[in-house]
Amino acid sequence: MKSVLVSPSTLRPDTTAGQAKMVYPVLGAISLTHLLNDMMQSVLLAMYPILQGNFDLSFAQVGIITLAFQFSASLLQPLVGRFTDRHPLPYSLPIGMGFTFCGLVLLSMAWNFPMVVLAATLVGAGSSVFHPESSRVARMASAGQHGLAQSIFQVGGNIGSSIGPLLAALLIVPHGQRSVIWVSAAALIGMLILYGVSRWYAANLTSTRGRQSLHKVDNGLNRGQVFGALSILLLLIFSKFFYLASLNSYFTFFLIDRFHVDVQQAQYSLFVFLAGVATGTLVGGPIGDRIGRKRVIWGSILGTAPFSLALPYVNLEWTLILVFCAGAMIASAFPAIIVYAQELMPGKTGTVSGLFFGLAFGMGGIGAAGLGRLADATSIAFVYHLCAWLPVLGLVAFFLPDMRQRPAA
């Protein structure tokens, strides 16, 4: 598999300036491993009803599992990104996938709530290494089409997230918690593929391609404008990922509570939402390359509001239609946000990618825990009525500055 995805000719470093092309085998490899990584993560999320039944968990405890998983990623990712900006570690990619493998094996054998939390923490730690370094690889392989490359990279993760609930419905719901051990085989496959990616990364890190993709540019903004833009992006990350947390963690419970569907049907319905997220991620990056990332950011988040506001009031069929549209709209912002942030802080690709992927996990974790407690105190229906207003915060994206990309002197 490694030789198919990253051929020996691909491993030769790019040394000719101005003739670099997108390296689709490498982009395909990191997208595929992103699929495997996020599929394994979403299996954990899709298992919540099973874990709740096995260990008699409250909604608050469900939120704690998500918090442990996402905080192990969010706290480590910026640190990993900052370190690898200064000291790149190409071969850390397969090692990070090894943490995910260990977490899944432990999850399959967990006998109490603390063991489940530890397993979730290990799975999150794997992502903390994978995302910053893979995002750097995507930029190196992009040949200047940063939005498209980021979308290709991210859509693999979104497809994986959408497959996870199906895998849980078809494998884990019928066969139980121990069947998670079979899912861990995906981590072993991912480690093999990432070893090939690491060889390409190491070969091109100091080449013309590597220097051109990671060099600093003048974006025309002063320090105050950069700080203001980052503050707006933080608010948008809050809006996007708190809303996604309400759907990722509790959509199955919402469907069971409101429409009295069984667990398996709820998992299939979660797949519809996650498929919408994958669709939006794929189109958001290249559209941002064409019309500007600022327009994509505010249009996608604010454009989610009509769907989210209608969602709590419709029947099951319209719920599936609206949740697909909401997922597609709000997900299209993230590739544009990542590339826009990389352009705000040129030369710090790992730091920015780690920070924003980490914030995505962290905001999702805080949202899951907080919304779980709110659901215990009120109801799932109340949570969905409240979270429906979060995309309205997309209005603040109008104040993001436009950037002019010029080579630094």
Side-chain angles (χ1 to χ4, degrees):
M1 182 175 296
K2 175 184 68 179
S3 62
V4 173
L5 291 171
V6 185
S7 66
S9 61
T10 303
L11 288 171
R12 289 197 292 269
D14 227 334
T15 56
T16 306
Q19 297 182 6
K21 297 180 181 180
M22 288 192 75
V23 187
Y24 285 104
V26 170
L27 287 172
I30 61 167
S31 185
L32 177 57
T33 51
H34 202 181
L35 182 154
L36 296 174
N37 182 78
D38 286 22
M39 178 194 72
M40 293 181 287
Q41 293 175 17
S42 67
V43 163
L44 170 64
L45 298 175
M47 282 183 63
Y48 283 173
I50 298 170
L51 295 173
Q52 186 184 45
N54 287 352
F55 302 108
D56 193 25
L57 304 180
S58 68
F59 283 126
Q61 287 176 306
V62 171
I64 288 171
I65 295 171
T66 305
L67 185 66
F69 157 58
Q70 294 183 334
F71 258 56
S72 68
S74 67
L75 291 178
L76 291 176
Q77 282 197 53
L79 299 178
V80 171
R82 181 177 175 80
F83 181 84
T84 55
D85 274 337
R86 300 178 179 181
H87 310 284
L89 299 172
Y91 290 94
S92 64
L93 286 166
I95 294 172
M97 190 67 76
F99 283 102
T100 302
F101 172 77
C102 294
L104 289 174
V105 172
L106 179 60
L107 180 63
S108 71
M109 301 183 296
W111 58 90
N112 57 26
F113 175 66
M115 289 296 101
V116 173
V117 173
L118 177 59
T121 302
L122 287 172
V123 174
S127 287
S128 73
V129 177
F130 176 81
H131 285 105
E133 286 293 81
S134 294
S135 190
R136 189 200 309 275
V137 171
R139 192 171 181 90
M140 287 178 62
S142 69
Q145 300 181 67
H146 304 310
L148 175 59
Q150 193 64 221
S151 279
I152 292 172
F153 166 57
Q154 289 187 26
V155 77
N158 292 138
I159 293 172
S161 296
S162 66
I163 291 173
L166 288 180
L167 193 61
L170 295 172
L171 176 66
I172 298 171
V173 171
H175 301 289
Q177 180 183 340
R178 290 192 177 275
S179 61
V180 176
I181 193 70
W182 296 106
V183 180
S184 67
L188 295 177
I189 296 171
M191 291 170 70
L192 291 174
I193 298 171
L194 286 174
Y195 176 75
V197 172
S198 295
R199 292 178 63 201
W200 178 88
Y201 181 9
N204 284 274
L205 188 61
T206 57
S207 70
T208 301
R209 173 184 291 275
R211 292 193 302 270
Q212 287 184 343
S213 64
L214 303 177
H215 75 294
K216 293 185 178 182
V217 296
D218 178 13
N219 57 27
L221 303 179
N222 59 40
R223 185 182 296 271
Q225 289 174 310
V226 170
F227 179 80
L230 287 173
S231 300
I232 292 172
L233 291 180
L234 292 179
L235 183 58
L236 294 172
I237 288 288
F238 162 80
S239 169
K240 171 181 165 60
F241 285 98
F242 260 62
Y243 183 66
L244 286 177
S246 72
L247 293 169
N248 279 326
S249 296
Y250 302 109
F251 185 55
T252 52
F253 296 116
F254 172 74
L255 294 174
I256 293 168
D257 177 68
R258 178 164 184 190
F259 301 111
H260 309 292
V261 301
D262 59 29
V263 172
Q264 195 169 43
Q265 187 177 353
Q267 301 288 8
Y268 290 135
S269 300
L270 182 61
F271 168 77
V272 173
F273 161 67
L274 294 172
V277 170
T279 302
T281 301
L282 185 60
V283 303
I287 291 176
D289 284 338
R290 289 179 175 272
I291 70 172
R293 310 191 206 289
K294 174 182 173 178
R295 293 177 180 176
V296 172
I297 293 169
W298 73 261
S300 64
I301 295 180
L302 184 60
T304 306
F307 306 111
S308 65
L309 291 170
L311 188 59
Y313 301 99
V314 297
N315 61 24
L316 179 59
E317 290 75 17
W318 274 104
T319 293
L320 298 181
I321 294 171
L322 291 178
V323 82
F324 177 89
C325 294
M329 286 297 295
I330 204 162
S332 63
F334 198 50
I337 287 174
I338 291 292
V339 178
Y340 185 94
Q342 290 172 347
E343 292 169 353
L344 277 177
M345 302 175 65
K348 299 181 179 179
T349 301
T351 302
V352 169
S353 300
L355 176 63
F356 278 84
F357 277 109
L359 282 171
F361 282 107
M363 289 296 183
I366 293 170
L371 294 174
R373 288 188 175 274
L374 184 61
D376 283 334
T378 56
S379 68
I380 285 289
F382 177 81
V383 167
Y384 273 83
H385 281 83
L386 181 65
C387 291
W389 291 93
L390 287 170
V392 177
L393 289 174
L395 285 167
V396 302
F398 178 78
F399 300 101
L400 287 171
D402 294 313
M403 288 185 285
R404 305 180 302 277
Q405 294 292 306
R406 302 187 298 265

